[in-house]
Amino acid sequence: MPPRNILSLFNESATRDNILTAFNSHLINNERIAQDDLIIVFYAGHGDSVEAPGWNTDGRMVETICPYDVTAFEPTARPLEVGNTGVSTPKYGIPDRTINALMRQLANKKGDNIVCPSERLSQVRFVLTSRSIGRDL
């Protein structure tokens, strides 16, 4: 598989914004991915259950993946003291609803040949490959 077909986000580069941007640019809007190409989305990292910030969930918890820069782990997140810089806004994980919406957009645009294995490490990896062996995306 050509290295340009793999996007890996590790540690400091696996921020909430970078993960969401990469999902859109490297998967959903990637013109090199043809309809029904095999797409592997691999996430290895931590998850959490948090109260939905401002959503009507009838008191149920929302499942999230925890990017590198997540700061809101408590049931009711509050601004956090950040060194000598004062108070910052909590940074939430990426909710299961967001992941679901992104996966539906990806399937609608590229087909539903998507594989999502998962591990519990500290990385986010998006891997793209073609169904036909030897085809360079």
Side-chain angles (χ1 to χ4, degrees):
M1 175 181 335
R4 71 182 180 147
N5 291 356
I6 300 172
L7 174 63
S8 299
L9 301 175
F10 295 99
N11 299 324
E12 293 87 354
S13 66
T15 65
R16 186 181 203 284
D17 290 341
N18 286 351
I19 292 169
L20 295 173
T21 299
F23 202 98
N24 280 295
S25 64
H26 198 71
L27 296 174
I28 295 171
N29 297 315
N30 188 337
E31 297 301 322
R32 295 180 301 156
I33 302 174
Q35 184 72 23
D36 296 323
D37 276 350
L38 173 62
I39 300 171
I40 301 171
V41 178
F42 179 77
Y43 172 76
H46 293 281
D48 199 6
S49 294
V50 297
E51 288 183 7
W55 304 345
N56 182 7
T57 58
D58 300 323
R60 294 184 309 247
M61 302 298 276
V62 174
E63 300 298 318
T64 66
I65 63 170
C66 298
Y68 183 83
D69 59 342
V70 68
T71 60
F73 292 105
E74 299 174 7
T76 305
R78 61 185 183 279
L80 303 172
E81 292 291 331
V82 180
N84 294 330
T85 62
V87 176
S88 71
T89 304
K91 182 73 84 163
Y92 291 92
I94 302 173
D96 54 358
R97 294 176 180 192
T98 301
I99 300 297
N100 183 294
L102 290 168
M103 294 297 278
R104 281 187 284 122
Q105 288 176 25
L106 179 60
N108 286 337
K109 191 162 186 180
K110 303 297 183 178
D112 61 0
N113 195 19
I114 304 168
V115 178
C116 300
S118 180
E119 288 290 329
R120 285 234 181 236
L121 299 172
S122 59
Q123 63 184 343
V124 174
R125 177 172 285 200
F126 299 116
V127 179
L128 306 179
T129 186
S130 171
R131 206 188 255 213
S132 57
I133 296 175
R135 182 169 162 228
D136 185 5
L137 295 177

